[in-house]
Amino acid sequence: MRGRILGLVTAMAAMLGVAHAQAPDASRTAFRAIYEELVEIDTSSAGSCTRAAEAMAARLRAAGYPQSDLTIVIPEGRPTDGNLIATLRGRNARAGALLLLAHIDVVDARREDWARDPFTLVEEDGFFYGRGAADDKAMAAVFVDLLIRLKQEGFRPRQNIKMALTCGEETSATVVNGVRYIMERNPQLLRAALAINEGAGGELDAQGRYIALHVQAGEKIHQQFRLEVVNPGGHSSRPRPDNAINQLSAGLLRVAAYQFPVELTPAVREFFRRMAPLTPGETGLAMAAIAANPSDAAAAATLAADPSHNAIMRTTCIATTIEGGHAVNALPQRARAVLSCRILPGHTPDEVEAELVRVLNDPGIAVTLANARQPTPAPPPLSRAVMAPVERVAARLWPNVPIVPTMAAGATDARFLNGAGIAVYGMSGMFAVPGESNAHGLNEKIRVRSLYEGRDFLEGLVREYAK
Ligand SMILES: [Zn+2]
């Protein structure tokens, strides 16, 4: 009997042991199911964000979120452009909320061009493949999974935690941008003191070794300018000295030869300072030099040779489209080009337009805005309140891996929030070899290990900010 009881106890302990060993796996399996469902709902311009928003709302409801804490926002007349905002109630409703922001729409993907179906989650050779597998359904799935687990354990954050899964970040030409739409009509839904967003992960070297964890603070804005020359034209057998195409081309060459001044935001200066010891050769020396003295012209010139470094040091304007003329045997009556300008935080479209007019130096070239005037928020500060929790969580997961702030040369939805007093930081804790995810491109992927580590990082961070 005793033997049998002991045996039973041993067996139970063994079972418990097994149960303990399996607990994280069960949690991971649940997370993976959310991720899979999100990736497999087509949210490209041909698909539906609303379906994804509703699927995630159903999961949150099943986990105990009352309907009153789940809001699906469907823009008028746009039934497939839905967004979901969910709230986990905090102890102090008056404390500034923490916003977890992820877009659920994805760049279009043509099945015939991909090696695998873009809307089937495939795990292969240590990677997850699928459209949105990295950008941005990785973070979206992490946030949904985290909100479910926090609810189930009865976690009461200090402040409200809001999660916004939004549409139209990638597809804003054809789909309503959810963040802008909500901020214009119902801003209290997104109102927060601090937000975690896409925009930066971590960097691995070619061997998969950890180089740096990035935190993105601030981003450039994308303002497009149309240049236009008109001319009476005429017969091409009798050319005249003034020609719309030539006149525009000469202007474009003056813009091409011009460089906007170097200016380092605090995040970019810090980026160079911390990357300097990690970067070999002349580039590392130039990083150290410009971090010490932002007006070091020689260092700036060395760094500017790399397009990614150049892009974070100055405003840039580059010709992206051109059209002109109406017949092969006629002098052009019109020539047009679009300049894609990426403007440093702290500068306005008007300033850049004035500078373009000065550089073009030709009143015959008309300059106008080619897209809606973009908001120009200042970058959010890299305060201790934001960075200390990042440091604590990162030290646990990746001891000795440096934390390196960055500024994005591209734009995210943060531009609609930073200006409204919500400090938005890009951080996922998902490491990759630069360029490896091929987000927006073919066969988008993310390392399996990076996704799970990012999940741990974001969970740790939310718990730190919410305690
Ligand atoms: Zn994205």
Side-chain angles (χ1 to χ4, degrees):
M1 192 66 183
R2 210 169 139 208
R4 270 168 62 191
I5 289 172
L6 262 179
L8 195 65
V9 169
T10 312
M12 279 177 63
M15 277 169 60
L16 281 174
V18 168
H20 271 283
Q22 276 182 346
D25 288 348
S27 149
R28 212 172 251 198
T29 304
F31 162 67
R32 202 198 135 131
I34 295 168
Y35 179 55
E36 182 172 302
E37 181 174 29
L38 259 184
V39 170
E40 298 197 349
I41 296 175
D42 178 355
T43 52
S44 69
S45 59
S48 170
C49 285
T50 305
R51 260 191 71 205
E54 280 170 351
M56 296 304 111
R59 285 178 177 274
L60 293 165
R61 214 174 292 121
Y65 282 84
Q67 192 59 48
S68 53
D69 288 342
L70 301 172
T71 308
I72 289 187
V73 177
I74 299 177
E76 255 179 69
R78 305 299 302 247
T80 59
D81 301 356
N83 309 270
L84 168 66
I85 293 97
T87 306
L88 178 65
R89 299 278 153 196
R91 306 189 296 273
N92 179 0
R94 277 195 304 275
L98 170 63
L99 173 66
L100 311 178
L101 177 66
H103 65 85
I104 48 173
D105 65 316
V106 294
V107 174
D108 292 349
R110 287 154 53 109
R111 170 75 187 89
E112 59 273 29
D113 296 341
W114 279 52
R116 306 160 195 81
D117 179 9
F119 298 106
T120 301
L121 184 72
V122 175
E123 183 176 348
E124 210 175 285
D125 305 329
F127 286 92
F128 284 118
Y129 289 85
R131 171 58 86 224
D135 183 10
D136 186 21
K137 288 177 170 174
M139 285 184 86
V142 164
F143 291 152
V144 172
D145 168 69
L146 181 57
L147 247 61
I148 288 173
R149 287 188 294 133
L150 293 177
K151 181 64 118 186
Q152 285 170 341
E153 73 182 58
F155 181 79
R156 289 273 284 161
R158 178 174 55 81
Q159 71 283 60
N160 285 345
I161 298 180
K162 298 179 179 181
M163 176 188 70
L165 303 182
T166 64
C167 196
E169 199 272 344
E170 307 283 16
T171 44
S172 54
T174 48
V175 172
V176 176
N177 180 291
V179 175
R180 180 165 50 195
Y181 184 89
I182 295 165
M183 288 307 283
E184 283 168 3
R185 285 164 182 80
N186 204 356
Q188 71 275 11
L189 274 177
L190 297 179
R191 188 78 70 217
L194 171 66
I196 302 175
N197 184 29
E198 64 173 344
E203 191 175 334
L204 302 172
D205 70 9
Q207 284 71 46
R209 286 177 303 228
Y210 297 88
I211 301 298
L213 174 70
H214 291 303
V215 175
Q216 182 229 312
E219 57 191 43
K220 292 171 104 177
I221 58 168
H222 188 198
Q223 189 73 61
Q224 299 144 36
F225 294 91
R226 180 172 294 109
L227 310 187
E228 186 170 50
V229 176
V230 291
N231 188 282
H235 201 288
S236 70
S237 64
R238 289 187 304 280
R240 26 190 294 162
D242 56 327
N243 175 293
I245 291 176
N246 292 346
Q247 192 179 351
L248 177 67
S249 303
L252 288 174
L253 289 176
R254 285 192 287 277
V255 173
Y258 174 73
Q259 288 199 310
F260 282 82
V262 167
E263 193 182 305
L264 306 187
T265 67
V268 171
R269 189 169 181 183
E270 201 54 20
F271 170 80
F272 285 134
R273 191 177 72 78
R274 298 204 194 178
M275 286 305 285
L278 309 172
T279 309
E282 214 191 6
T283 308
L285 294 174
M287 285 174 165
I290 205 163
N293 172 19
S295 45
D296 185 327
T302 302
L303 292 170
D306 178 329
S308 348
H309 294 147
N310 186 53
I312 56 174
M313 295 193 305
R314 53 165 51 102
T315 293
T316 61
C317 288
I318 190 71
T320 49
T321 65
I322 188 162
E323 56 184 291
H326 56 283
V328 291
N329 57 0
L331 299 174
Q333 288 164 205
R334 191 180 300 273
R336 278 178 175 161
V338 169
L339 291 175
S340 166
C341 293
R342 305 290 183 154
I343 304 175
L344 280 180
H347 292 275
T348 64
D350 294 336
E351 277 177 73
V352 172
E353 182 174 331
E355 188 65 352
L356 287 173
V357 167
R358 190 188 69 76
V359 171
L360 285 163
N361 193 26
D362 179 351
I365 304 178
V367 181
T368 52
L369 290 185
N371 63 337
R373 184 182 301 274
Q374 297 296 300
T376 55
L382 291 162
S383 61
R384 287 311 296 157
V386 170
M387 293 306 289
V390 174
E391 286 160 14
R392 283 197 290 274
V393 179
R396 232 163 45 220
L397 290 168
W398 309 288
N400 306 318
V401 174
I403 298 166
V404 178
T406 64
M407 180 196 69
T412 74
D413 282 338
R415 68 190 185 279
F416 302 115
L417 301 174
N418 275 324
I422 304 169
V424 187
Y425 298 88
M427 43 191 172
S428 71
M430 297 175 195
F431 283 73
V433 175
E436 118 186 306
S437 80
N438 207 26
H440 296 200
L442 281 181
N443 307 318
E444 179 177 346
K445 66 180 193 277
I446 186 171
R447 287 172 190 246
V448 173
R449 185 188 73 185
S450 297
L451 177 65
Y452 290 137
E453 286 184 1
R455 177 177 178 245
D456 292 342
F457 172 73
L458 291 168
E459 174 179 358
L461 206 52
V462 167
R463 287 183 190 275
E464 287 274 346
Y465 288 139
K467 75 181 182 197

